[in-house]
Amino acid sequence: MPALLIKNVILNNERKDIYIKDGRIETISGKLELEADRVIDGRGKYAIPGFVNMHTHAAMTLMRGIGEDISLMDWLQNIIWPTEAKLTDELVYWGTKLACVEMIKSGTTCFNDQYWNLPAAVSATEEMGLRSVHSYVILDLMDKSKSSFLKEECERMYEFSKGWSSRNTFSVGVHAPYSVSPEMIQWAAGFARKRGLPVHIHISETEAENKDSIKMHGLTPTKYLDSLGVLGPETLSAHSLWVDDEDIRIFAERGVKAIHNINSNLKIASGYRFRYKELKEAGVVVSLGTDGCASSNNLDMLETMKTTALVQKAWREDPTIMPLDELLSLATENGGKSLGLPIGVIKEGYLADFSLIDTESVAFTPNINFMANLIYSANSSCVDTVICDGKVLMENRMVEGEQEIIQMVNKLYKQLL
Ligand SMILES: [Zn+2]
């Protein structure tokens, strides 16, 4: 793989050269005189780790704006699921490509996805050069007649995933404890555990979900899942918004990772009191996601970080609750930790997934505090260059194929309406 050298970039407030080989950050130093196939002039730019979007449904870019101003259950049952029944491989392929363009342009280099038509989604991601974890989604709506099909498909997709590049890995998706039968949840968790795969699941997204779970099982969704024996360090719990003290204790004990998706939660009015402080104090790894574009409308992790911090500060009436460095870690390093990947940090030995931020703009003037400007002042148009797996996916905000992708989605999305 060709070597890449970034010269004179600002990294943690110091001027550095970064040398990348075989997709990894090999050397970071004040001045490097090394041969490289490509040299990027980093003057005026700051290097930050690529964002890790820990919860999304990428091809939902196709449904941006489709169901506005309604509640989660109404939205799912009356808008999303009927629309998704019309998805084809072609639609998912182009929708995922559009999502990749959007993520690249906003500095995301890795995403943890849960969506349909897996082979189409993965080939789009492979072509766009992003890193991803793609799950085969189990959603049986308590219908036992679906289980043998789902099991066979999951197995088949897992085998198929062995042909993916090292950038894209397989996980098992369990839609939610209210939409998947206990037998299938247990089967999915067992399948994942045996093969060392993550399990990507929605837990306690709404208060109604908790109330229904208590009515049905006498247990919160977390305690119900724990009673099935399916929670473990491989569990990636999207939302986790309505967790009580006991749920948090279980998360910590089992090593469950929590993923906060504030913009989606706010917009569908699922809630906003994500118990970051308690989860952190219990030792739970917390990361951030955008959720799909049909609920949060974009895949912008900078916006996600800003909203996360503002809501936490306001709700807790405490401006110290979410310091800038910690906030950046939620969007980068903690995603890497949750997925068990050496990403989210610009450090020798880590995978070369990072962005260069252009600070020559009003948003960064004066540049007293780069991180504050980045998160609270700028928007993602400050992302100039994106490198993933040592390859340049964007330079000067140009992403290859962007126009064609926009045109194709504009042509195809009508099939869903
Ligand atoms: Zn979701």
Side-chain angles (χ1 to χ4, degrees), residues 111-135:
F111 64 106
N112 183 35
D113 206 56
Q114 187 186 106
Y115 215 53
W116 311 111
N117 304 58
L118 206 51
V122 174
S123 48
T125 310
E126 294 263 10
E127 286 170 28
M128 297 304 292
L130 282 178
R131 194 178 302 287
S132 74
V133 178
H134 275 275
S135 57

Side-chain angles (χ1 to χ4, degrees), residues 55-57 60 75 114 175 200 202 205 238-239 261 264 291-292 295:
H55 179 63
T56 190
H57 314 283
M60 275 188 144
W75 177 82
Q114 187 186 106
H175 181 262
H200 187 179
H202 297 89
E205 181 171 358
H239 302 297
N261 306 278
S264 169
D291 213 345
S295 58

Side-chain angles (χ1 to χ4, degrees), residues 287-359:
S287 57
L288 302 181
T290 59
D291 213 345
C293 274
S295 58
S296 69
N297 297 52
N298 70 28
L299 303 169
D300 191 327
M301 289 292 285
L302 259 185
E303 189 183 282
T304 300
M305 276 193 276
K306 180 172 178 173
T307 318
T308 299
L310 296 183
V311 171
Q312 288 291 319
K313 285 164 190 269
W315 168 41
R316 301 288 189 167
E317 298 181 26
D318 179 0
T320 69
I321 198 89
M322 186 66 82
L324 285 161
D325 287 349
E326 203 167 308
L327 186 59
L328 184 72
S329 298
L330 297 189
T332 55
E333 194 176 356
N334 287 9
K337 277 185 195 160
S338 301
L339 297 172
L341 295 171
I343 56 170
V345 188
I346 304 179
K347 215 170 165 181
E348 290 173 1
Y350 274 70
L351 290 166
D353 294 8
F354 59 91
S355 301
L356 303 184
I357 304 298
D358 182 2
T359 54

Side-chain angles (χ1 to χ4, degrees), residues 158 170-172 191-199 234-235:
Y158 171 65
F170 183 84
S171 75
V172 180
F191 183 91
R193 256 178 214 165
K194 216 178 283 168
R195 293 160 183 80
L197 305 168
V199 176
E234 71 283 1
T235 312

Side-chain angles (χ1 to χ4, degrees), residues 254-294:
R254 305 281 178 238
V256 173
K257 316 294 189 293
I259 306 160
H260 183 34
N261 306 278
I262 189 64
N263 285 321
S264 169
N265 298 153
L266 287 173
K267 189 150 176 289
I268 314 185
S270 300
Y272 60 92
R273 294 184 191 89
F274 178 75
R275 302 182 69 196
Y276 174 64
K277 182 173 177 277
E278 291 81 356
L279 286 158
K280 183 179 89 170
E281 280 169 6
V284 176
V285 178
V286 175
S287 57
L288 302 181
T290 59
D291 213 345
C293 274

